[in-house]
Structure formats: C-alpha cells, structure tokens
Amino acid sequence: MNLDEQLIQSSSRFARSGLEALPVGDHATFALHASIALEHSMKALLAKRHPALIAAPDFDSLLHATGHAADARTPRHLMKTITVRDCLTRVGRLLPALQNLEPQLLPLFDSRNAIAHLGETTITWTFRVPFLKAAEYLREELEVSREEYWGDFVATVMSALEERVEEAKLTAENALARARADFTRRYGHLDDEARGAVLHAIEAGYDPAKYEEDLVACPACGTDALVSGAAEVHWEQDDEDSASFIATFVPGGLRCRACDLELDGEDELRAAGVERSWDINDADPADFYEPDWDM
C-alpha cells in the first residue's frame, strides 16, 4: 500500500471515531482523533505529490520517503515527519480554502497537544464545523468518495454542514440589514457631493496586503470593502515552449469601513453574494518562488 493510501485510511478511521465521541461528551477523544484525521489527510495530500514532502529534515526519514529504505539505519515506523503546523502551511499553498480555516484549526491542534501532553481536557464542540469543512476540502482534493471516507457518518456530516450554511445565511442577512441601516444613518443626510467625498476618503484609506487582501464592492453599501484570504498559484502550459503563471484569490473574510459590515468565512461570503474566487491580474511569480542562484 502506498504511503498516501495508508494515510487516507488512517484519516478516515480517526475521523469516524472522533465524531462517534462527540454525542457522549467525550471531548478529549474528539480533539485527539479529529486533529489526527486532519493531519493524516494533509500528509496524504502532500505524500500523493511526493512522500519527501512530509519527511522531516532527517536523512533516514528522507531515505524512507524517497524509496531507499534499504539504506536507512532506522525502520520505516521510526520515520520522522513534519509537524501539523508545517502540514497546514504547506497544504495551505495547495488548497487556499484550507489556509483560510487556519485561525479555527490551530486551536483544535493546540487542544490536541494539551490533551496528549498534559491531560488537559477542553470543550471542543466549537471545533466540530471547522473540522468537518477542512476534512471535506481535503477529501475532495484527494478524490475520495464521501461514503468511503465517512462511512455511516455521511448523513451526520452533511446535516452539520448544511446546518452551518443555513446559519451563515441568517448571519449574513442580519449583518447586511444592520450595515445598510448604519450606512443610511451615517450618510443619508448628506448630499451626493458630500457623501461621495466622505466615501472616497474612506476608500483611499485602505492599503491591502498583496496576495493576502483585496478590495471588492461591499454587498451592503457598494463602497470598497477589504477582503482577507489566500492566493492559489500554478503554471499553465500554453505550448511546448511557454507557460502562463496563474494566480487566484480565495476570500475568507470581509470588513467594510463605510458601513461596518463584517462577514467571516466562505459560507457567509457566499450568502452575501461575494464571489468564491477571482484572478489576480498583476501577480508576479517572483513573489512566490525563491530564485535558484546556483542555476
């Protein structure tokens, strides 16, 4: 069995046992098993590209990862791999939607460490949806069917995610209504020229971090709003001798200074009508790839 296949099977097993622990209030088992499931899925995705991508900077581990186990001085089960945070960083470059979940996933991994090393049990119910969303992003990227990965828990997973989408729609609708009311209260008494000058000054105050932030029309008031997110990049072959650099921005949150609209997460953004992704037209490959000076 290939390493990536082994990791996928392990991830599926821990994902199911993690969900099984929640209804009985076993938060420790959920945190341990859910975080292991995500770590193994992330490592499976990297190992599918090449096993060396999950090897720690250790020669024996690299020998195992590159198919030269006979030359290693330690057995395969002692192979050292990168940390879960390194996994998240690396996979985030391949899967920006997962990178946008990083603020919600890191506390889950921290909770796992607290339980594993200190026996410190915390309430982890709030990690359930981020775990499910991350697991689904990884499952789809790994091209594993829901039935194969979740088994008897498919209905549970889909119900939880659909419930989250409905909650996000309600949250977004309420946020939009409040923001529109605030916008009218703040600027409704101004004439067109004065209001335009104020909004122009607000828009001029934005300074988006390149590849991490961008500006879009606010879905509540129409002025520029700042979105945070992640960039996905790849090369696309044009012909035998040339290729085009493609960069895509995947938003994960929005804040408008004019009406104070705030949206958090893909579900709320989609509910408010913000696009899932868009091209970054002025992306420079040099910003993403370190030059190889030896070459």
Side-chain angles (χ1 to χ4, degrees):
M1 181 184 298
N2 293 335
L3 180 57
D4 58 295
E5 295 171 341
Q6 174 182 314
L7 286 164
I8 291 171
Q9 286 191 9
S10 177
S11 174
S12 171
R13 184 170 63 252
F14 279 109
R16 299 181 197 189
S17 59
L19 289 181
E20 191 174 359
L22 270 181
V24 296
D26 188 353
H27 296 281
T29 297
F30 170 74
L32 284 169
H33 289 201
S35 57
I36 291 173
L38 291 181
E39 180 174 355
H40 287 186
S41 281
M42 289 190 291
K43 287 180 176 176
L45 186 58
L46 293 171
K48 194 173 181 179
R49 300 287 183 100
H50 196 287
L53 293 176
I54 68 170
D58 168 81
F59 189 51
D60 276 1
S61 299
L62 287 168
L63 287 172
H64 283 294
T66 54
H68 298 283
D71 297 318
R73 296 180 178 179
T74 57
R76 176 176 169 173
H77 71 274
L78 294 180
M79 174 182 169
K80 299 176 183 177
T81 61
I82 57 177
T83 68
V84 67
R85 286 175 178 260
D86 287 336
C87 279
L88 189 55
T89 298
R90 294 184 182 187
V91 174
R93 287 183 54 177
L94 308 176
L95 197 57
L98 190 72
Q99 184 177 332
N100 286 335
L101 284 175
E102 182 175 315
Q104 296 164 283
L105 294 178
L106 287 179
L108 171 60
F109 297 139
D110 289 339
S111 179
R112 186 268 297 269
N113 292 338
I115 294 168
H117 300 299
L118 297 173
E120 184 75 28
T121 304
T122 57
I123 301 300
T124 56
W125 181 260
T126 56
F127 302 145
R128 180 182 61 126
V129 170
F131 159 64
L132 294 177
K133 290 177 71 69
E136 277 291 275
Y137 286 141
L138 291 161
R139 180 195 61 75
E140 291 177 2
E141 193 70 15
L142 287 164
E143 300 180 334
V144 179
S145 71
R146 281 200 179 98
E147 290 70 23
E148 182 182 352
Y149 187 83
W150 295 110
D152 294 336
F153 289 93
V154 169
T156 301
V157 172
M158 297 310 298
S159 176
L161 292 179
E162 288 169 4
E163 180 182 330
R164 169 53 192 156
V165 169
E166 291 305 313
E167 290 175 357
K169 287 181 180 178
L170 181 60
T171 300
E173 289 170 0
N174 288 338
L176 287 167
R178 288 196 305 271
R180 288 167 181 147
D182 286 345
F183 186 83
T184 299
R185 185 174 62 253
R186 292 177 183 179
Y187 312 111
H189 64 285
L190 300 175
D191 59 38
D192 291 345
E193 183 177 353
R195 182 166 56 251
V198 172
L199 296 179
H200 177 73
I202 291 173
E203 292 175 330
Y206 289 121
D207 184 22
K210 196 172 184 180
Y211 307 124
E212 297 177 4
E213 297 174 327
D214 204 353
L215 297 176
V216 298
C218 174
C221 68
T223 57
D224 281 349
L226 188 70
V227 286
S228 57
E232 179 180 24
V233 300
H234 67 276
W235 289 92
E236 191 171 284
Q237 197 72 31
D238 296 325
D239 52 46
E240 186 178 347
D241 300 318
S242 64
S244 298
F245 181 71
I246 308 297
T248 305
F249 187 81
V250 181
L254 178 146
R255 171 69 192 276
C256 177
R257 294 178 182 174
C259 66
D260 282 345
L261 174 67
E262 289 191 46
L263 300 171
D264 182 25
E266 178 189 20
D267 293 330
E268 291 183 18
L269 291 171
R270 294 294 302 282
V274 178
E275 294 182 33
R276 183 189 295 269
S277 63
W278 53 83
D279 292 338
I280 304 174
N281 296 320
D282 59 346
D284 185 348
D287 294 332
F288 296 91
Y289 302 105
E290 295 182 6
D292 188 341
W293 298 112
D294 293 335
M295 292 186 65

